[in-house]
Amino acid sequence: MILLADGGSTKVDWVLRDDDVCIAKYTTMGLNPIHVSEPEIENVLRELASEYFDVHCISVVEFYGSGCLPHSSPKMERCLKRVFRGAANIIVGSDIIGAAKAVCGNSEGIACILGTGANSCLWNGREIVSQTPALGYVLGDEGSGAVLGKRFINALYKNPLLREIRSEFEREFEIDMMGVIENVYSKPLPNRWLASLSPFVYRHLDNSNVADIVTENISAFFEKNILPYDRLDLPVSFVGSIAFYYEKQLRHVAEIYGVKIGRIQKSPL
């Protein structure tokens, strides 16, 4: 059997397949090897295996995830090999490769991820031929859930027109400005916390100021991560929760920039 994983910073979606037949689906915590320690990764993998299936039945494991870069992928590979000792083939690749295989397949196109983080690549049907660096939510990740949360918090405390929404936000999350600062600057994985604000943002899209934040975030992604490829002849496809839930805004921005949208799906699996 084949075990496939779409690894994000917030969660990992797993699919167990027997040839082309889906046997089961699972979800675990996010396993970005840049942020999560090797022992913690291995513990999550062992819990997954012990609870749901016999590891000796797994012949192939393919893990495509955020943070699976050349310097950090070996950490994930070591963990997978220790847990799935009987697997004949273990593949670890970046989440953007998994996304490209899912939405472009064997065709040329631009594949994008808009989830907790953001990424893109120019895909020739077999491999990545060009890639705009994502740089993470502090230096880049335009369009992502983390940057959406960052933009929203900034406006929440600096735009007086959002005073009522700020009061609602603080009541719902039981937090004040100092609590926000603590979550972002002192607690672990602030990118996940910022991205977790997306459902609240989504519920307030009827407010023009909030809607503008979403549009500006997506526009920044197009400007910084799609237009530099200079391939408006190719379809641009997306995976990720931000792309999925904000599809209307995504298509609106694409039309402005003359970008042809291909597929939009929540998960590459």
Side-chain angles (χ1 to χ4, degrees):
M1 289 191 287
I2 301 172
L3 184 64
L4 301 174
D6 169 37
S9 293
T10 302
K11 64 183 177 67
V12 180
D13 291 324
W14 302 82
V15 170
L16 184 63
R17 281 175 30 193
D18 188 359
D19 291 327
D20 291 329
V21 179
C22 176
I23 303 299
K25 296 181 179 180
Y26 320 102
T27 300
T28 64
M29 64 171 276
L31 294 177
N32 185 323
I34 293 176
H35 302 304
V36 183
S37 69
E38 195 162 327
E40 190 171 8
I41 292 173
E42 188 170 342
N43 285 339
V44 171
L45 295 176
R46 290 194 184 281
E47 287 177 8
L48 172 71
S50 64
E51 186 170 353
Y52 295 113
F53 49 76
D54 180 359
V55 294
H56 299 97
C57 295
I58 307 299
S59 59
V60 176
V61 180
E62 294 188 31
F63 189 102
Y64 299 102
S66 57
C68 290
L69 305 174
H71 70 281
S72 55
S73 288
K75 180 197 289 190
M76 182 62 70
E77 287 181 26
R78 287 194 297 269
C79 292
L80 290 169
K81 286 179 179 178
R82 284 196 292 266
V83 175
F84 300 98
R85 294 180 180 274
N89 196 11
I90 291 178
I91 299 170
V92 175
S94 68
D95 53 352
I96 193 63
I97 292 177
K101 288 185 174 182
V103 295
C104 296
N106 297 323
S107 301
E108 191 177 16
I110 296 173
C112 306
I113 296 172
L114 287 183
T116 298
N119 210 339
S120 69
C121 75
L122 180 60
W123 179 256
N124 68 1
R126 300 178 304 280
E127 60 186 1
I128 293 173
V129 294
S130 181
Q131 187 172 13
T132 304
L135 298 180
Y137 76 103
V138 175
L139 300 176
D141 268 8
E142 301 87 1
S144 70
V147 173
L148 174 63
K150 184 167 68 171
R151 285 174 175 263
F152 176 67
I153 289 294
N154 182 278
L156 207 61
Y157 287 96
K158 292 187 176 183
N159 186 343
L161 296 176
L162 294 179
R163 188 177 295 110
E164 290 185 7
I165 292 179
R166 183 178 72 202
S167 296
E168 181 186 344
F169 170 81
E170 291 182 339
R171 285 195 305 272
E172 181 171 324
F173 285 83
E174 298 180 344
I175 202 169
D176 57 13
M177 186 173 68
M178 293 309 299
V180 167
I181 290 173
E182 183 181 3
N183 273 307
V184 173
Y185 292 102
S186 300
K187 292 187 177 181
L189 304 175
N191 59 325
R192 288 191 197 176
W193 184 79
L194 288 167
S196 75
L197 307 182
S198 176
F200 185 90
V201 173
Y202 185 81
R203 294 203 317 265
H204 292 82
L205 285 175
D206 57 339
N207 181 287
S208 61
N209 293 283
V210 175
D212 286 345
I213 293 169
V214 173
T215 300
E216 289 164 6
N217 190 39
I218 294 173
S219 294
F221 179 80
F222 275 73
E223 291 174 4
K224 302 290 186 179
N225 298 277
I226 295 178
L227 297 185
Y229 295 120
D230 195 25
R231 292 297 306 270
L232 293 181
D233 58 306
L234 294 177
V236 180
S237 297
F238 295 82
V239 299
S241 58
I242 297 298
F244 183 80
Y245 287 108
Y246 297 98
E247 180 176 350
K248 180 180 178 180
Q249 291 76 19
L250 184 64
R251 290 188 180 278
H252 171 68
V253 172
E255 186 175 354
I256 292 173
Y257 287 103
V259 171
K260 179 173 61 176
I261 296 294
R263 299 172 63 183
I264 298 176
Q265 55 191 66
K266 190 174 181 180
S267 168
L269 299 180

